[in-house]
DNA sequence: ACGATACTCCACAGATTATTGGAGGATCGC
DNA sequence: GCGATCCTCCAATAATCTGTGGAGTATCGT
């Protein structure tokens, strides 16, 4: 192979890798990936959850599809997007981890977003034991859609924004273990703060759904009619 | 925290993650990362190896530095760039793997670049045993600079472009195990083809330096005065 | 067949990024 | 201190990406 031809082929290969990098090069697309890591969802649902114009969301999803990061299925008039594989979630998680470790701006933005993160935490291997004793109640505070698409077995669903009104659905003298989407999700932090203010003992699960899935732990789902 | 403020903080956090994604969004930057995964190098050296204008290379390196992916040290008039950590190499490797698995263009570009990849391969755990028997010679075909910055213990260095002239430095009746930068590097493929044409028995090592390092296997270095 | 729904495609304006030549800094040998 | 070397910063152009409204497409219920 001539040297020039080989250099061209090399550039092409690296540009192909870069196409995947480009898919990760927009905050909005990363938000969409984060949502998709919770389970499949319609364009409209994703647009609303990410605070995007429908057209814009669709365009970003096309970009992700082009990179092969997401796949789709049609159900009637709706099109459901989902992650194309666990490895995509893994890549997303690693990107966040590396970003946090090497970019000073990340911890700053993280703390500004999550607020006080100095709460009690439980690791998933400790959770199993406490569930068996019946010592705790597991609470999923994500939007119902995401709970339906997949949740920790035995968890009950009360979205954060309904939690203040529905707090009495929780047993009064049992610890509540709260989880949400993942490491950088506010929902569980907000929920723990709210529960604590109401005199409940609440602990944040160290893992969100993203980490739970990546650890290959069991997931219950309700939907897919 | 007011809902709007929180939404803003969220956007900011994801934009911060995206800054790392952006660092991965250019083929040239990925080539630089690939080179840096071999060991530290000057701007000039990187520019030449990647076929870039010095200014352009410098600009890309600034981008990578901004994302915290690379670090620098000064030695006299020269500035050496290096990867900021193993996790960066890991992210880079995972990006390529995910890209290959989900983007049809990658295998096509890969085959066009690497040529016939249907050669014998050896895994690193098999290598150890054969080294102990003295059954094989390990050959590093990367540029000398990269060999000096770190190589497999016991490997000898003959850059591919000198291999045809220096082939007699290799023992005639011993198998040669060839390695280079990593999974998507041509050098070892080219070398195996060349050695085979000259009637030598050559086997490609399954891992390049990138994978070797990520597997935490021992590395010898010569340089760093 | 018709309207309604959910989504994609197109076209365009505004914002970012890439590349390059040339000017400007830092450091060395002398 | 002076020139040489190696690199970064600046300015400007070209190319690419983002967000948006409006038009177009697929599917469903009737």
């Amino acid at each position: 192979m001539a040297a020039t031809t080989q250099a061209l082929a090399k550039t092409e290969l690296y540009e192909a890798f870069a196409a995947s990098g480009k898919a990760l090069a927009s905050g909005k697309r990363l938000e969409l990936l984060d949502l998709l890591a919770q389970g499949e969802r319609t364009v409209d649902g994703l647009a609303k959850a990410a605070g995007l114009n429908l057209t814009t969301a669709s365009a970003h999803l096309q970009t992700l599809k082009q990179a092969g990061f997401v796949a789709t299925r049609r159900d009637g008039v709706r099109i459901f997007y989902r992650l194309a594989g666990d490895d995509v979630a893994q890549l997303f998680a690693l990107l966040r981890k590396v970003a946090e470790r090497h970019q000073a701006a990340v911890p700053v933005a993280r703390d500004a977003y999550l607020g006080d993160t100095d709460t009690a935490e439980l690791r998933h291997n400790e959770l199993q034991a406490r569930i068996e004793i019946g010592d705790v109640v597991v609470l999923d505070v994500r939007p119902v859609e995401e709970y339906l698409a997949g949740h920790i077995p035995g968890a009950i669903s009360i979205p954060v924004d309904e939690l203040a009104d529905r707090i009495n659905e929780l047993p009064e003298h049992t610890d509540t273990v709260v989880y949400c989407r993942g490491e950088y999700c506010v929902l569980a932090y907000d929920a723990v703060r709210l529960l604590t203010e109401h005199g409940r003992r609440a602990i944040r699960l160290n893992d969100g759904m993203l980490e739970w899935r990546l650890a290959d732990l069991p997931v219950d789902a309700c939907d897919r009619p």
Side-chain angles (χ1 to χ4, degrees), chain A:
Chain A
M1 190 190 262
T4 329
T5 318
Q6 204 174 60
L8 264 175
K10 180 176 188 172
T11 300
E12 214 160 295
L13 177 59
Y14 279 84
E15 285 303 329
F17 291 140
S20 290
K22 281 179 202 175
L24 302 172
S26 141
K28 289 300 173 191
R29 275 197 295 272
L30 294 180
E31 282 193 52
L32 290 172
L33 284 178
D34 198 22
L35 290 166
L36 287 167
Q38 307 304 310
E40 63 169 14
R41 215 150 171 190
T42 64
V43 180
D44 192 76
L46 289 162
K48 275 173 187 144
L52 289 172
N53 185 309
L54 174 69
T55 310
T56 309
S58 175
H60 279 308
L61 289 168
Q62 293 307 313
T63 306
L64 290 171
K65 200 176 180 183
Q66 209 73 33
F69 285 4
V70 301
T72 54
R73 76 177 172 98
R74 185 181 265 279
D75 177 22
V77 293
R78 273 177 284 195
I79 293 175
F80 285 84
Y81 278 77
R82 65 176 183 280
L83 289 194
D86 274 2
D87 52 353
V88 177
Q90 209 181 319
L91 178 62
F92 172 64
L94 185 58
L95 177 75
R96 297 204 298 194
K97 207 182 88 190
V98 173
E100 170 149 33
R101 199 168 316 156
H102 295 287
Q103 246 192 286
V106 171
V108 175
R110 192 196 112 104
D111 291 348
Y113 176 43
L114 298 182
D116 180 21
T117 56
D118 206 23
T119 53
E121 275 200 0
L122 193 71
R123 303 196 159 270
H124 69 76
N125 42 7
E126 300 159 331
L127 180 63
Q128 198 52 48
R130 296 197 58 181
I131 287 177
E132 271 164 29
I133 311 172
D135 192 17
V136 289
V137 113
V138 182
L139 177 64
D140 184 322
V141 292
R142 298 173 300 157
V144 196
E145 280 175 276
E146 297 174 22
Y147 172 83
L148 293 174
H151 56 264
I152 295 179
I156 62 169
S157 165
I158 308 180
V160 207
D161 45 320
E162 300 171 18
L163 187 54
D165 295 334
R166 296 174 55 187
I167 205 161
N168 53 343
E169 292 177 28
L170 293 168
E172 210 160 334
H173 300 295
T174 312
D175 286 6
T176 306
V177 175
V178 185
Y179 76 92
C180 55
R181 290 173 186 148
E183 213 184 324
Y184 300 93
C185 178
V186 237
L187 305 180
Y189 286 109
D190 282 351
V192 167
R193 283 189 284 261
L194 193 143
L195 289 172
T196 309
E197 279 164 24
H198 283 73
R200 303 301 183 107
R201 286 189 46 182
I203 309 162
R204 210 184 75 94
L205 183 64
N206 187 57
D207 298 307
M209 204 59 215
L210 174 61
E211 293 83 19
W212 188 270
R213 281 204 141 100
L214 286 178
D216 252 322
L217 296 165
V219 172
D220 272 9
C222 308
D223 229 3
R224 286 244 187 176

